[in-house]
Protein backbone atom coordinates (compact mmCIF):
# COMPACT_ATOMS: atom_id res chain seq x y z
CA UNK A 1 0.00 0.00 0.00
CA UNK A 2 1.39 3.45 -0.82
CA UNK A 3 2.64 5.17 2.35
CA UNK A 4 0.25 8.11 1.77
CA UNK A 5 -2.85 5.93 2.18
CA UNK A 6 -1.79 4.25 5.40
CA UNK A 7 -2.68 7.12 7.74
CA UNK A 8 -6.05 7.56 6.03
CA UNK A 9 -6.96 3.90 6.35
CA UNK A 10 -5.59 3.88 9.91
CA UNK A 11 -7.86 6.77 10.90
CA UNK A 12 -10.82 5.09 9.26
CA UNK A 13 -10.23 1.78 11.12
CA UNK A 14 -9.70 3.72 14.33
CA UNK A 15 -12.94 5.71 13.97
CA UNK A 16 -14.90 2.62 12.97
CA UNK A 17 -13.76 0.95 16.20
CA UNK A 18 -12.14 -1.97 14.38
CA UNK A 19 -8.79 -2.03 16.17
CA UNK A 20 -9.82 -4.09 19.26
CA UNK A 21 -11.24 -6.81 17.01
CA UNK A 22 -8.15 -6.83 14.79
CA UNK A 23 -5.87 -6.95 17.84
CA UNK A 24 -7.83 -9.86 19.32
CA UNK A 25 -7.80 -11.85 16.08
CA UNK A 26 -4.13 -11.24 15.45
CA UNK A 27 -3.25 -12.18 19.03
CA UNK A 28 -4.97 -15.53 18.57
CA UNK A 29 -3.04 -16.51 15.50
CA UNK A 30 0.40 -14.94 15.89
CA UNK A 31 2.97 -15.02 18.63
CA UNK A 32 5.47 -12.56 17.29
CA UNK A 33 7.19 -9.65 18.93
CA UNK A 34 6.58 -6.01 18.15
CA UNK A 35 9.69 -3.93 18.84
CA UNK A 36 9.10 -0.18 18.69
CA UNK A 37 12.07 1.97 17.64
CA UNK A 38 12.44 5.57 18.79
CA UNK A 39 15.31 8.04 18.51
CA UNK A 40 14.39 11.40 20.02
CA UNK A 41 11.37 12.70 21.93
CA UNK A 42 11.17 16.51 22.00
CA UNK A 43 8.57 19.07 23.05
CA UNK A 44 7.66 19.55 19.40
CA UNK A 45 8.24 17.43 16.29
CA UNK A 46 8.96 20.57 14.29
CA UNK A 47 10.89 22.98 16.49
CA UNK A 48 11.30 26.35 14.77
CA UNK A 49 14.74 26.76 13.18
CA UNK A 50 15.77 23.21 14.17
CA UNK A 51 19.04 22.57 12.35
CA UNK A 52 19.79 18.97 13.28
CA UNK A 53 18.32 15.85 11.72
CA UNK A 54 14.58 16.41 12.05
CA UNK A 55 13.92 12.81 10.93
CA UNK A 56 15.41 11.62 14.23
CA UNK A 57 12.52 13.21 16.15
CA UNK A 58 10.20 10.25 16.67
CA UNK A 59 7.44 11.92 18.67
CA UNK A 60 6.49 14.97 20.72
CA UNK A 61 6.20 14.60 24.48
CA UNK A 62 2.43 14.70 24.17
CA UNK A 63 2.32 12.05 21.43
CA UNK A 64 4.75 9.81 23.34
CA UNK A 65 2.54 9.97 26.44
CA UNK A 66 -0.49 8.93 24.35
CA UNK A 67 1.50 6.09 22.79
CA UNK A 68 2.71 4.74 26.14
CA UNK A 69 -0.79 4.98 27.63
CA UNK A 70 -2.16 2.89 24.74
CA UNK A 71 0.63 0.34 25.06
CA UNK A 72 0.08 -0.04 28.80
CA UNK A 73 -3.66 -0.47 28.39
CA UNK A 74 -3.95 -2.80 25.39
CA UNK A 75 -0.66 -4.68 24.93
CA UNK A 76 1.80 -6.80 26.90
CA UNK A 77 4.88 -4.61 27.39
CA UNK A 78 7.98 -6.68 28.18
CA UNK A 79 11.64 -6.29 29.02
CA UNK A 80 14.46 -7.73 26.92
CA UNK A 81 15.65 -9.88 29.83
CA UNK A 82 12.18 -11.46 30.12
CA UNK A 83 12.09 -12.17 26.38
CA UNK A 84 15.58 -13.73 26.46
CA UNK A 85 14.58 -15.87 29.44
CA UNK A 86 11.51 -17.16 27.65
CA UNK A 87 13.37 -17.93 24.42
CA UNK A 88 16.12 -19.77 26.24
CA UNK A 89 13.63 -21.88 28.21
CA UNK A 90 11.48 -22.62 25.19
CA UNK A 91 8.50 -20.70 26.55
CA UNK A 92 6.24 -18.68 24.28
CA UNK A 93 5.64 -14.96 24.58
CA UNK A 94 2.36 -13.56 25.87
CA UNK A 95 -0.16 -12.34 23.34
CA UNK A 96 0.59 -8.92 21.87
CA UNK A 97 4.07 -8.70 23.37
CA UNK A 98 5.86 -5.37 22.80
CA UNK A 99 9.32 -3.99 23.51
CA UNK A 100 10.16 -0.27 23.49
CA UNK A 101 13.62 0.74 22.26
CA UNK A 102 15.56 3.96 21.75
CA UNK A 103 18.67 4.27 19.57
CA UNK A 104 21.72 6.54 19.88
CA UNK A 105 21.46 8.00 23.40
CA UNK A 106 20.25 11.61 23.07
CA UNK A 107 19.77 13.38 26.38
CA UNK A 108 16.10 14.07 25.62
CA UNK A 109 15.64 10.34 26.26
CA UNK A 110 16.51 11.03 29.89
CA UNK A 111 14.87 14.45 30.25
CA UNK A 112 11.58 13.82 28.46
CA UNK A 113 10.95 10.13 27.69
CA UNK A 114 12.17 8.56 30.95
CA UNK A 115 9.69 10.44 33.22
CA UNK A 116 6.79 9.34 31.00
CA UNK A 117 7.93 5.71 31.04
CA UNK A 118 8.03 5.88 34.83
CA UNK A 119 4.61 7.49 34.94
CA UNK A 120 3.18 4.41 33.20
CA UNK A 121 5.37 1.87 34.98
CA UNK A 122 7.02 0.86 31.71
CA UNK A 123 10.58 -0.16 30.94
CA UNK A 124 12.44 0.62 27.72
CA UNK A 125 15.77 -0.41 26.22
CA UNK A 126 18.19 2.43 25.47
CA UNK A 127 20.81 1.45 22.89
CA UNK A 128 23.66 3.93 23.30
CA UNK A 129 26.93 4.56 21.46
CA UNK A 130 29.35 4.49 24.38
CA UNK A 131 31.98 6.76 22.80
CA UNK A 132 29.52 9.65 22.88
CA UNK A 133 28.28 9.29 26.45
CA UNK A 134 29.56 12.13 28.66
CA UNK A 135 31.30 13.73 25.67
CA UNK A 136 28.74 16.46 24.95
CA UNK A 137 29.75 15.81 21.33
CA UNK A 138 26.99 15.37 18.76
CA UNK A 139 26.72 12.21 16.70
CA UNK A 140 28.68 12.50 13.45
CA UNK A 141 25.73 12.07 11.08
CA UNK A 142 23.65 14.59 13.01
CA UNK A 143 26.54 17.04 13.00
CA UNK A 144 26.85 16.63 9.24
CA UNK A 145 23.18 17.61 8.87
CA UNK A 146 23.81 20.64 11.08
CA UNK A 147 26.80 21.72 9.00
CA UNK A 148 24.85 21.45 5.74
CA UNK A 149 21.94 23.42 7.30
CA UNK A 150 24.16 26.21 8.64
CA UNK A 151 27.21 26.45 6.37
CA UNK A 152 27.83 29.89 4.91
CA UNK A 153 29.77 28.34 2.01
CA UNK A 154 28.07 28.65 -1.35
CA UNK A 155 28.66 25.09 -2.51
CA UNK A 156 28.93 21.57 -1.17
CA UNK A 157 31.77 19.89 -3.05
CA UNK A 158 32.55 16.24 -2.34
CA UNK A 159 34.28 14.65 -5.31
CA UNK A 160 34.44 11.28 -3.49
CA UNK A 161 30.63 11.14 -3.74
CA UNK A 162 30.42 12.92 -7.06
CA UNK A 163 28.64 15.84 -5.38
CA UNK A 164 28.94 19.47 -6.43
CA UNK A 165 25.79 21.25 -5.26
CA UNK A 166 24.93 24.90 -4.73
CA UNK A 167 23.71 25.03 -1.12
CA UNK A 168 20.01 25.90 -1.06
CA UNK A 169 18.75 29.23 0.36
CA UNK A 170 16.09 27.88 2.78
CA UNK A 171 16.37 25.65 5.83
CA UNK A 172 13.82 23.15 4.47
CA UNK A 173 15.73 22.78 1.22
CA UNK A 174 19.02 22.42 3.13
CA UNK A 175 17.47 19.61 5.20
CA UNK A 176 16.55 17.82 1.97
CA UNK A 177 20.11 18.22 0.70
CA UNK A 178 21.46 16.85 3.98
CA UNK A 179 19.14 13.83 3.75
CA UNK A 180 20.30 13.13 0.19
CA UNK A 181 23.92 13.43 1.32
CA UNK A 182 23.39 10.96 4.19
CA UNK A 183 21.91 8.43 1.78
CA UNK A 184 24.95 8.69 -0.50
CA UNK A 185 27.37 8.58 2.41
CA UNK A 186 26.30 5.00 3.17
CA UNK A 187 28.19 3.80 0.10
CA UNK A 188 31.54 4.63 1.75
CA UNK A 189 33.36 2.59 4.36
CA UNK A 190 33.37 3.89 7.92
CA UNK A 191 36.85 5.38 7.65
CA UNK A 192 35.91 7.37 4.54
CA UNK A 193 32.61 8.51 6.11
CA UNK A 194 34.46 9.90 9.12
CA UNK A 195 37.16 11.50 6.97
CA UNK A 196 34.54 13.26 4.88
CA UNK A 197 32.80 14.71 7.95
CA UNK A 198 36.06 15.84 9.56
CA UNK A 199 37.16 17.33 6.22
CA UNK A 200 34.00 19.45 6.01
CA UNK A 201 34.41 20.57 9.64
CA UNK A 202 37.88 21.84 8.81
CA UNK A 203 36.96 23.39 5.48
CA UNK A 204 33.93 25.18 6.89
CA UNK A 205 35.47 25.99 10.29
CA UNK A 206 32.57 24.32 12.15
CA UNK A 207 33.93 22.61 15.22
CA UNK A 208 32.00 19.78 16.82
CA UNK A 209 33.39 20.63 20.25
CA UNK A 210 31.47 23.92 20.13
CA UNK A 211 28.15 22.28 19.29
CA UNK A 212 24.94 23.72 20.75
CA UNK A 213 23.17 21.90 23.57
CA UNK A 214 20.18 20.52 21.70
CA UNK A 215 22.09 17.63 20.14
CA UNK A 216 23.74 16.42 23.33
CA UNK A 217 24.15 12.73 24.21
CA UNK A 218 23.31 11.42 27.70
CA UNK A 219 25.83 11.27 30.54
CA UNK A 220 26.82 8.19 32.53
CA UNK A 221 25.07 9.63 35.60
CA UNK A 222 21.82 9.92 33.67
CA UNK A 223 22.16 6.36 32.39
CA UNK A 224 22.94 5.07 35.89
CA UNK A 225 19.82 6.75 37.24
CA UNK A 226 17.67 5.27 34.48
CA UNK A 227 19.20 1.84 35.01
CA UNK A 228 18.52 2.06 38.75
CA UNK A 229 14.86 2.75 37.93
CA UNK A 230 14.43 -0.36 35.81
CA UNK A 231 15.39 0.88 32.34
CA UNK A 232 17.56 -1.48 30.27
CA UNK A 233 20.70 -0.19 28.59
CA UNK A 234 22.19 -1.87 25.52
CA UNK A 235 24.97 -1.29 23.02
CA UNK A 236 24.81 0.77 19.85
CA UNK A 237 28.55 0.37 19.24
CA UNK A 238 31.20 2.85 20.34
CA UNK A 239 31.32 5.53 17.63
CA UNK A 240 28.08 4.81 15.75
CA UNK A 241 29.95 3.28 12.84
CA UNK A 242 28.22 0.95 10.39
CA UNK A 243 29.73 -2.26 11.76
CA UNK A 244 29.84 -4.11 8.43
CA UNK A 245 31.90 -1.27 6.96
CA UNK A 246 34.71 -1.49 9.51
CA UNK A 247 37.83 -3.66 9.22
CA UNK A 248 37.10 -6.90 11.10
CA UNK A 249 39.35 -6.14 14.06
CA UNK A 250 37.73 -2.76 14.69
CA UNK A 251 34.25 -4.19 14.24
CA UNK A 252 34.95 -6.83 16.90
CA UNK A 253 36.44 -4.15 19.16
CA UNK A 254 33.27 -2.01 18.86
CA UNK A 255 30.97 -4.93 19.60
CA UNK A 256 32.92 -6.27 22.60
CA UNK A 257 34.36 -2.96 23.83
CA UNK A 258 31.00 -1.18 24.08
CA UNK A 259 29.64 -4.10 26.12
CA UNK A 260 32.61 -4.00 28.52
CA UNK A 261 32.29 -0.23 28.97
CA UNK A 262 28.55 -0.42 29.69
CA UNK A 263 29.03 -3.22 32.20
CA UNK A 264 31.85 -1.35 33.93
CA UNK A 265 29.90 1.91 34.16
CA UNK A 266 26.47 0.51 35.00
CA UNK A 267 27.11 -2.86 36.65
CA UNK A 268 25.18 -5.97 35.62
CA UNK A 269 25.25 -7.75 32.29
CA UNK A 270 24.50 -6.13 28.95
CA UNK A 271 22.58 -8.59 26.82
CA UNK A 272 21.40 -6.70 23.73
CA UNK A 273 22.74 -4.56 20.91
CA UNK A 274 21.25 -2.63 18.03
CA UNK A 275 23.29 -2.27 14.85
CA UNK A 276 24.11 1.40 14.16
CA UNK A 277 22.16 2.59 11.09
CA UNK A 278 20.70 -0.92 11.07
CA UNK A 279 19.71 -1.47 7.43
CA UNK A 280 20.69 -4.54 5.40
CA UNK A 281 24.10 -3.01 4.57
CA UNK A 282 24.93 -2.11 8.21
CA UNK A 283 25.60 -5.65 9.47
CA UNK A 284 26.35 -9.07 8.00
CA UNK A 285 27.09 -12.67 9.00
CA UNK A 286 30.48 -11.69 10.44
CA UNK A 287 28.90 -8.96 12.55
CA UNK A 288 26.27 -11.34 13.89
CA UNK A 289 28.97 -13.92 14.72
CA UNK A 290 30.94 -11.26 16.63
CA UNK A 291 27.80 -10.23 18.52
CA UNK A 292 27.14 -13.83 19.60
CA UNK A 293 30.79 -14.37 20.44
CA UNK A 294 30.85 -11.26 22.68
CA UNK A 295 28.03 -12.74 24.76
CA UNK A 296 25.01 -10.74 23.62
CA UNK A 297 21.77 -12.68 23.64
CA UNK A 298 19.65 -10.54 21.33
CA UNK A 299 20.21 -7.88 18.67
CA UNK A 300 17.98 -5.52 16.70
CA UNK A 301 18.21 -4.29 13.14
CA UNK A 302 16.47 -1.22 11.77
CA UNK A 303 14.63 -3.20 9.14
CA UNK A 304 10.89 -2.64 9.37
CA UNK A 305 8.59 -5.46 10.47
CA UNK A 306 7.76 -8.00 13.14
CA UNK A 307 9.06 -11.55 13.60
CA UNK A 308 8.43 -14.59 15.72
CA UNK A 309 11.32 -14.73 18.16
CA UNK A 310 13.54 -17.74 17.62
CA UNK A 311 17.07 -18.81 16.87
CA UNK A 312 16.91 -17.45 13.34
CA UNK A 313 15.64 -13.99 14.24
CA UNK A 314 17.01 -13.19 17.68
CA UNK A 315 20.22 -11.56 16.41
CA UNK A 316 18.51 -9.41 13.77
CA UNK A 317 15.07 -8.57 15.11
CA UNK A 318 13.10 -6.25 12.85
CA UNK A 319 11.52 -3.17 14.45
CA UNK A 320 8.62 -0.80 13.95
CA UNK A 321 9.94 2.74 13.71
CA UNK A 322 7.81 5.46 15.26
CA UNK A 323 7.89 8.59 13.14
CA UNK A 324 7.01 12.19 13.83
CA UNK A 325 4.27 12.14 11.18
CA UNK A 326 2.26 9.53 13.10
CA UNK A 327 -0.86 10.65 14.91
CA UNK A 328 -2.42 8.52 17.66
CA UNK A 329 -4.74 6.68 15.25
CA UNK A 330 -1.87 5.70 12.97
CA UNK A 331 0.27 4.60 15.91
CA UNK A 332 -2.55 2.45 17.30
CA UNK A 333 -3.24 0.92 13.90
CA UNK A 334 0.48 0.21 13.32
CA UNK A 335 0.82 -1.52 16.64
CA UNK A 336 -2.38 -3.49 16.04
CA UNK A 337 -1.68 -4.60 12.46
CA UNK A 338 1.96 -3.86 11.63
CA UNK A 339 1.77 -5.72 8.31
CA UNK A 340 -0.64 -3.11 7.00
CA UNK A 341 0.25 0.10 8.79
CA UNK A 342 4.01 0.05 9.47
CA UNK A 343 5.92 3.04 8.21
CA UNK A 344 8.71 2.02 5.84
CA UNK A 345 11.66 3.45 7.69
CA UNK A 346 14.37 5.25 5.87
CA UNK A 347 17.18 2.86 6.50
CA UNK A 348 19.82 5.39 7.42
CA UNK A 349 17.96 6.22 10.59
CA UNK A 350 18.89 3.50 13.04
ZN1 LIG B 1 21.77 5.09 15.54
Amino acid sequence: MPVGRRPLLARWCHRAGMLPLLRGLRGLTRHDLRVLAYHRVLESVDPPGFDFDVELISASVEAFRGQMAYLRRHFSPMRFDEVVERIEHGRSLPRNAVLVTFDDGYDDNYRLAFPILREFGLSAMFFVSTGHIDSGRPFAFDWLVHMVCRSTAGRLQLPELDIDWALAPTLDARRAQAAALLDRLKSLDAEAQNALIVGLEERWGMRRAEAPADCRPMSWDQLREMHAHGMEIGSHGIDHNMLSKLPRERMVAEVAGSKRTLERELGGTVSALSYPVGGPDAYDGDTIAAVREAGYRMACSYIGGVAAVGESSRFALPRLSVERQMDQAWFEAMLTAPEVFAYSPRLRNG
Side-chain angles (χ1 to χ4, degrees), residues 89-112:
H89 292 89
R91 287 159 53 213
S92 60
L93 298 177
R95 267 179 212 165
N96 295 316
V98 184
L99 292 170
V100 178
T101 69
F102 283 80
D103 276 9
D104 294 347
Y106 282 92
D107 85 332
D108 49 74
N109 294 179
Y110 169 82
R111 287 186 295 110
L112 302 174

Side-chain angles (χ1 to χ4, degrees), residues 30 77 89 141 163 287:
R30 299 212 187 194
H89 292 89
F141 294 157
I163 286 177
T287 326

Side-chain angles (χ1 to χ4, degrees), residues 100-329:
V100 178
T101 69
F102 283 80
D103 276 9
D104 294 347
Y106 282 92
D107 85 332
D108 49 74
N109 294 179
Y110 169 82
R111 287 186 295 110
L112 302 174
F114 171 48
I116 295 172
L117 290 162
R118 287 190 73 188
E119 186 182 321
F120 289 100
L122 291 166
S123 175
M125 170 65 83
F126 295 86
F127 291 116
V128 304
S129 300
T130 54
H132 287 269
I133 300 306
D134 260 357
S135 73
R137 216 161 35 96
F139 301 93
F141 294 157
D142 208 11
W143 184 242
L144 181 60
V145 171
H146 176 79
M147 288 197 290
V148 171
C149 285
R150 288 297 169 208
S151 174
T152 52
R155 300 191 77 76
L156 173 66
Q157 289 168 312
L158 298 165
E160 58 273 57
L161 290 175
D162 210 13
I163 286 177
D164 182 3
W165 301 338
L167 283 169
T170 65
L171 182 56
D172 275 353
R174 290 273 184 112
R175 284 177 181 163
Q177 287 183 318
L181 170 57
L182 284 180
D183 281 340
R184 292 231 204 153
L185 192 67
K186 284 198 311 187
S187 64
L188 302 178
D189 66 31
E191 208 71 64
Q193 292 177 358
N194 291 328
L196 181 149
I197 295 169
V198 170
L200 271 185
E201 274 181 63
E202 284 168 4
R203 213 180 319 154
W204 287 347
M206 300 177 80
R207 293 161 46 83
R208 221 181 299 187
E210 294 156 12
D214 56 2
C215 58
R216 197 176 278 160
M218 284 187 275
S219 68
W220 286 116
D221 279 345
Q222 290 171 336
L223 284 171
R224 277 190 278 269
E225 185 183 336
M226 289 161 74
H227 193 231
H229 284 96
M231 301 296 132
E232 296 184 283
I233 316 291
S235 166
H236 199 45
I238 297 176
D239 284 324
H240 203 276
N241 285 307
M242 292 171 79
L243 296 174
S244 61
K245 293 187 180 278
L246 287 171
R248 192 185 142 73
E249 215 166 277
R250 275 195 56 203
M251 179 271 286
V252 171
E254 287 242 355
V255 167
S258 56
K259 186 173 190 292
R260 272 197 307 273
T261 302
L262 287 167
E263 290 173 350
R264 185 187 66 228
E265 294 288 342
L266 304 171
T269 305
V270 167
S271 62
L273 168 144
S274 81
Y275 303 105
V277 184
D281 51 354
Y283 64 98
D284 54 23
D286 279 353
T287 326
I288 292 177
V291 166
R292 282 175 181 269
E293 180 70 18
Y296 292 98
R297 293 151 88 191
M298 257 166 88
C300 292
S301 76
Y302 203 73
I303 294 171
V306 282
V309 184
E311 278 314 310
S312 62
S313 66
R314 67 189 277 198
F315 287 100
L317 280 175
R319 288 188 285 176
L320 298 167
S321 73
V322 182
E323 302 287 335
R324 65 197 187 105
Q325 297 88 344
M326 278 179 187
D327 59 12
Q328 182 75 11

